[in-house]
Amino acid sequence: MTDQPTISRTPLTRVGIEEQVRAGIKRRYAAERRFRLYGMVSIIVALSFLAILLVTVVLQGYTAFQQTKIRLDIDFAQDVIDPTGTRDATAISGANYNTLARKALRALFPDVTTRRDKRSLYKLLSIGAAYELRAMVQENPDLIGARRTVWLTAGDDVDQLVKNRIASGKGNMRLSGHQINWITQLAAHDRIEAKFNTAFFSGGDSREPELAGVLGAAMGSFWTLLVTLALAFPLGVMTAIYMEEFAPKNRWTDLIEININNLAAVPSIVFGLLGLAVFLQLFGVPRSAPLAGGFVLALMTLPTIIIAARAALKAVPPSIREAAIGIGASRMQTVAHHVLPLAMPGVLTGTILGMARALGETAPLLMIGMVAFIVDIPSGPMDPATALPVQIYLWADSAERAFVERTSGAIIVLLGFMICMNLAAILLRKKFERRW
């Protein structure tokens, strides 16, 4: 029989046990501190990237809220605007207002005589200057025959130079030396200035960046979201009520629930393909209309609203249902008069968050043709329109340097709308929320 090795065991004293316990507690506290540090570092990094993104967008886009104007002394000559003196609206609308603007500009630089220099001088003004003069005369026909000092929109290259977006020296490939000299003279006589850009908030899209505005895209988004809300909210809430309160628990309802959860994770472009195949090609809904966009975004938003509404209904305590049924209320009365009002803050919050997501979607709208160049402001869901995210996409793809700030400015407007919608969701929840 072989000898077995003996294992010496040192008996643990009370002091040794206490030291081991303290060491274990110290390690746990150290691990907890490291975990908290990692979390704080992650939050700081995330907020830093978000701050960099926001600061970059704001620095590039805040100048879009200003537009360079040139002050000119315009002679509203009657022989140009209304030779017959009849104040005919057609004659006033068809007058050559470019002649008035160019004559006033030449009066400031009488030494410009060659045809080439005149063309360069005229480029200081936007092509929209003539439309501005026409609008003034149409609004106030008494201007005909008078002389007034007005501020007219400058060209996009002039605007970028005044805002220091392009170089003012030899590296400037967009403006000639004569043009830069003329701009300097205008600035010296206080005839050129950056003013609040009302056209950016009151106009539609344009090929000229200095005339482009976001109102057309904003109205397109408004009509699209209105159609989306009218379809998705009642359908989503009714589906959630049936699934949560009335549907029997079997394999079919489980299958429906799984499909609803899966639809919430489907890429948005798939809904665009569905809308293109069903709404446009099968049912003949007008292409590039907010009605088609609303149908597609309603399908995309519906799963989000259903899931949020079901969660809000499930959060209502069972005692509410039991008390209502105990005093003789039916299932429908219990849901309509007691459960749904208590769940409505969560339902509204989920709906607004779903609508905020729909507001920022671009891919499904591209698939149904809401990427068209639309100048007019849509007055209804059947009019051709685009949306703010699509407008940002279009401007980002433009070659002109001035569209860079317009793109960032439109992003700021879109972020403002989304922040307002999220604030509305928070305020609604705080206003109607009840704690048990």
Side-chain angles (χ1 to χ4, degrees):
M1 186 172 181
T2 59
D3 296 335
Q4 296 293 332
T6 59
I7 300 175
S8 62
R9 297 185 179 183
T10 304
L12 293 176
T13 63
R14 181 178 178 180
V15 177
I17 295 175
E18 291 178 353
E19 289 179 353
Q20 291 184 5
V21 170
R22 283 196 296 269
I25 294 175
K26 186 176 180 180
R27 286 194 298 269
R28 289 198 298 270
Y29 284 166
E32 181 180 352
R33 287 194 296 270
R34 287 195 301 270
F35 183 77
R36 294 177 61 182
L37 178 61
Y38 297 155
M40 292 297 296
V41 170
S42 300
I43 293 174
I44 293 173
V45 171
L47 292 178
S48 299
F49 281 115
L50 179 61
I52 292 173
L53 174 64
L54 292 177
V55 169
T56 302
V57 171
V58 171
L59 289 180
Q60 289 186 348
Y62 79 96
T63 53
F65 302 147
Q66 289 186 322
Q67 177 60 44
T68 301
K69 302 279 187 175
I70 298 178
R71 181 165 60 90
L72 296 177
D73 300 320
I74 302 294
D75 184 10
F76 293 91
Q78 182 168 336
D79 58 340
V80 176
I81 301 175
D82 187 20
T84 61
T86 60
R87 296 296 192 268
D88 181 65
T90 304
I92 292 176
S93 177
N96 188 0
Y97 292 94
N98 274 324
T99 302
L100 305 180
R102 292 174 178 178
K103 181 179 178 181
L105 197 57
R106 287 199 308 270
L108 298 177
F109 302 99
D111 55 333
V112 177
T113 55
T114 65
R115 181 175 299 180
R116 181 178 180 181
D117 287 344
K118 288 181 180 179
R119 285 199 299 267
S120 299
L121 180 64
Y122 298 154
K123 289 181 180 179
L124 298 183
L125 286 175
S126 168
I127 63 173
Y131 302 108
E132 292 175 337
L133 292 176
R134 183 180 66 181
M136 293 177 190
V137 175
Q138 288 177 335
E139 183 180 355
N140 183 16
D142 293 337
L143 288 175
I144 299 176
R147 184 181 179 86
R148 295 288 187 274
T149 298
V150 298
W151 289 90
L152 298 180
T153 302
D156 59 320
D157 293 328
V158 177
D159 180 60
Q160 294 298 291
L161 180 66
V162 172
K163 295 176 180 177
N164 296 319
R165 294 291 186 179
I166 57 177
S168 59
K170 294 182 179 180
N172 193 326
M173 305 298 293
R174 304 284 298 180
L175 295 170
S176 65
H178 290 300
Q179 290 175 317
I180 295 176
N181 184 41
W182 295 328
I183 294 171
T184 304
Q185 294 182 42
L186 290 172
H189 292 85
D190 296 328
R191 286 188 172 272
I192 191 167
E193 185 179 336
K195 295 181 174 293
F196 182 73
N197 190 3
T198 56
F200 184 74
F201 297 97
S202 61
D205 197 7
S206 175
R207 302 293 185 190
E208 304 298 327
E210 71 273 10
L211 304 178
V214 298
L215 181 60
M219 290 303 298
S221 292
F222 169 76
W223 290 114
T224 301
L225 291 181
L226 190 63
V227 175
T228 302
L229 182 63
L231 292 174
F233 180 72
L235 288 177
V237 174
M238 288 188 291
T239 302
I241 291 175
Y242 176 76
M243 293 291 295
E244 192 63 32
E245 301 292 337
F246 297 98
K249 303 301 180 182
N250 53 38
R251 66 178 64 181
W252 297 111
T253 55
D254 291 341
L255 180 63
I256 293 174
E257 184 175 354
I258 291 173
N259 285 324
I260 290 174
N261 293 331
N262 289 336
L263 283 175
V266 170
S268 58
I269 195 170
V270 176
F271 291 100
L273 292 171
L274 178 64
L276 177 64
V278 176
F279 300 128
L280 269 63
Q281 297 181 359
L282 185 60
F283 294 109
V285 178
R287 181 181 291 270
S288 189
L291 183 65
F295 285 159
V296 173
L297 294 181
L299 290 178
M300 188 193 70
T301 310
L302 200 55
T304 303
I305 296 178
I306 293 174
I307 294 172
R310 290 193 64 184
L313 292 170
K314 192 178 297 184
V316 177
S319 58
I320 301 294
R321 299 173 177 85
E322 296 170 357
I325 293 174
I327 61 175
S330 64
R331 291 285 300 276
M332 180 60 70
Q333 290 173 332
T334 300
V335 173
H337 298 161
H338 301 280
V339 178
L340 185 58
L342 294 176
M344 191 54 68
V347 173
L348 292 177
T349 301
T351 302
I352 294 176
L353 294 178
M355 297 298 293
R357 179 196 171 192
L359 175 63
E361 284 294 340
T362 306
L365 301 182
L366 296 179
M367 297 302 299
I368 61 172
M370 292 190 72
V371 70
F373 176 74
I374 307 296
V375 178
D376 299 327
I377 309 299
S379 57
M382 300 297 291
D383 295 339
T386 185
L388 272 173
V390 181
Q391 189 66 76
I392 293 171
Y393 168 79
L394 291 173
W395 285 351
D397 197 42
S398 299
E400 287 85 350
R401 177 64 179 82
F403 272 120
V404 174
E405 67 173 11
R406 260 55 179 187
T407 302
S408 299
I411 292 174
I412 294 174
V413 173
L414 179 60
L415 289 176
F417 281 133
M418 298 188 72
I419 290 173
C420 290
M421 295 181 71
N422 283 275
L423 286 177
I426 295 173
L427 293 176
L428 285 174
R429 174 173 285 277
K430 287 187 174 295
K431 181 177 178 61
F432 296 106
E433 187 176 21
R434 295 184 182 180
R435 299 183 181 274
W436 296 280

